[in-house]
Amino acid sequence: MDVKSQKILIAEDDAPSRIMLRGILHDYSNIFEATDGVEAMSFLARNPDTALVLLDYLMPRMDGLEVLTRMRMSPYLAHTPVLLLSGAAHVDLRTRALKLGATDFATKPYHGPLLRQRVANLLRIPMPAPAIDPESFDYEMFERSTEDGSGIAALELSDGHFKFLYASNSCAKICGYTVAEFAELSKEDSILPRVIHPDDYSSLRQSLEGLAADRKPFCETLRIQRKDGSIHHATVYADIFDGAVEQLICHAVVVPIPDSTDKDVSRTKPLFPGKDGTDALTGLPDRISFFRDTRKMLDENRQEKFVLIISDIDRFKVVNDLFGTRVGDNILMQFAARVKSYVNGRGTFGRYESDKFCCCMPERDFDLNTYLKNQTDISSTLDLRYNLTVHNGIYPVTEPDIEISQMCDRAKIALSSVKGNYIQRYAFYDESMRQAMLAEQQILNDMHAALENGDFVMFLQPVYSLHFDKIVAAEALIRWNHPQHGLVSPGQFIPLFEKNRFITNLDHYMWEKAAAYLAEREKNGLTPVPISVNVSRMNLFNTNLPQDLLNLLKRYRVKPTLFRLEITESAYMDNPEQLIQATTALRDAGFTVLIDDFGSGYSSLKMLKDIPLDILKIDMKFLDNLESSSRAAVILLGVISIAQHLGMATIAEGVETKFQLDFLRTTGCDNIQGFYFSKPLPVKKFERLLMESPILI
Ligand code: C2E
Ligand code: MG
Ligand code: MG
């Protein structure tokens, strides 16, 4: 196997350090992350073919030394190279770790080239091929390394039956048997149909067969039929190991969903067709039933104060794309089960629409923190390598006589005020939100007229070279010269226009302005200054974009090299494949492509790995505390060094202070754009600036 595509696990609880490490190892394609020791062990249990573990010494739940000890105890992980990460001061620790079997060390802060060399050396160490021998397989150790309550089982497919090779004690507990009973039962071929609910059995079997044939791990929520006949919801994660023996061994982690022991759950069974006002997938009351039940509850309890909550899973479409609709469905079922168990008879609940759930309950019973906590661990329970986030809009029912649908609208208004906010996960409705909504509505009403009347204008913000102290380019930024509100910033209307797609018209309008400006300078014999324009993701995914742009430039006789395109990092999150295609096509057509707001999203490094780009614009907002945080400085250094290694130029955006500027000069950053040198300017003022300042030719 190619060294660069071997599995590497970074076990490190500090997110910036993980980012840094990934950056340093950017050309390794199979890097995984664990944020604490338990997660690391759980990953290694499923991936004994991991070629290298970068192991942080200090981590929550299980520290690096304990992980190391457990690895060395396991026949499959005993020889896996471990690079221990620690602070420079920990000399004693290093001796201890060496005794425990660490292969090498790296000290923080990391020295990129040194670390890369260490990793390369370690990957060259030949590793005994991972082989699993069911006889000596240390399942107990793996079991200890998973969280309490979950069980582990290894299955073997023989003669068309799935047989247990091993089932941990907690599996017996989950299924309601004693360990001895379960061990006896495990010998039978028919154990699976006995412990899995009949309606879920065939789907599980199908997934297991698929796993055996296609080696695709799966994750499924199903019902366990316990010995006493009660039903327990559980999530099964199954993965495959190539054994030293002939058979394929499937290693399943069964994670019971908290509070899901419920005899009635079979009636609200996920796969049952929705009838009598229930939702087909989750079995929760549908929206109409929720409206009806809630109306009744409010009318019958006039003295009581209520809250109505709408919860929305973020970017659920991405989850479906990444993991498939089956996992998506499982998440929805889990979510539904949690809403139901939280309300627990104290109010009403339902599925509002696709990935939105609603509930209404007395204010005195509603504890926001518990409600939010109930949602946060869904991704870890399902063992998704994806951070599932949920946003909540809460309407304290101040006017109990309005329609329930109106109450939901208010909760949704509150919800939309925090949507996309990664820190704030909830908002309470208040009247000012409604006013803001109305103001938004006004913007939407005015937009067409504004475009026709030429009320949108182009501002230009210069980009300076730090090497030459000259202007090297400019970015075209839109402003709305509104007849009543004056100059309106794009932050106030672009997000709305992205939603209603008007942004596609606006982008074309701005591109035309930029092309006309470049042509005008050329006509007047002035030094050309490359202009970059912003391309919204909606335009980006139009397959005719390269041709449309070439036609535009041809019309104005402008060279594509002067016309640069900024695409934002978040477009990658939505559709990586399409973004790769779109940027490749644009670069093939001769355009320079910039990645905008780098570092503001979640997939920055992944995107860099996948997509060749020309210029990296580093978002300074994520380094707000540069002055007080040495970590921020390290990240910035790391990012710039990554860009240099990838042959990309860098622009630091949003440079406001002399401190930032002085620091950037020491990092090797190429260019800066920011208020420190100049705000975005109307074209006339920009022209004046160009006349007064040197331009790099
Ligand atoms: P962007 O493309 O990242 O543009 C840079 C933004 O940072 C601009 O905000 C600019 O005024 C601001 N900025 C520059 N230097 C500093 C600084 O030192 N400090 C601070 N705090 N801010 C600085 P602006 O003009 O409000 O634009 C906001 C965003 O709106 C842009 O971010 C871009 O994503 C979008 N946008 C602007 N014009 C267009 C357009 O024509 N089409 C599209 N699709 N989006 C546009
Ligand atoms: Mg931009
Ligand atoms: Mg930007």
Side-chain angles (χ1 to χ4, degrees), residues 475-477 532-535 566-568 594 596-597 617 653 673:
E475 176 175 7
L477 294 158
S532 66
V533 296
N534 290 283
V535 180
E566 297 199 4
I567 57 170
T568 130
L594 292 78
D596 204 354
D597 306 330
K617 294 189 81 172
E653 294 187 90
Q673 179 183 343

Side-chain angles (χ1 to χ4, degrees), residues 271-288:
L271 302 174
F272 280 4
K275 52 184 175 194
D276 304 335
T278 60
D279 163 60
L281 178 73
T282 62
L284 289 199
D286 61 17
R287 189 201 312 213
I288 305 293

Side-chain angles (χ1 to χ4, degrees), residues 15-80:
S17 299
R18 289 199 304 272
I19 296 176
M20 183 76 166
L21 289 167
R22 271 193 178 263
I24 293 173
L25 302 178
H26 64 87
D27 50 349
Y28 289 86
S29 59
N30 242 338
I31 296 188
F32 299 84
E33 291 181 7
T35 57
D36 62 41
V38 173
E39 232 184 72
M41 273 323 289
S42 162
F43 175 86
L44 291 168
R46 298 192 310 274
N47 298 276
D49 58 336
T50 302
L52 171 67
V53 183
L54 275 64
L55 186 62
D56 184 26
Y57 158 55
L58 276 180
M59 285 186 295
R61 295 210 290 178
M62 190 191 285
D63 70 25
L65 292 189
E66 192 174 347
V67 173
L68 187 59
T69 313
R70 284 168 185 262
M71 285 179 67
R72 294 317 183 215
M73 276 161 50
S74 153
Y76 316 104
L77 304 171
H79 306 287
T80 310

Side-chain angles (χ1 to χ4, degrees), residues 66-109:
E66 192 174 347
V67 173
L68 187 59
T69 313
R70 284 168 185 262
M71 285 179 67
R72 294 317 183 215
M73 276 161 50
S74 153
Y76 316 104
L77 304 171
H79 306 287
T80 310
V82 171
L83 181 70
L84 200 85
L85 312 170
S86 71
H90 299 129
V91 182
D92 289 352
L93 163 82
R94 278 181 249 165
T95 322
R96 253 178 83 203
L98 263 189
K99 283 191 188 146
L100 289 173
T103 330
D104 199 0
F105 298 96
T107 46
K108 301 175 189 179

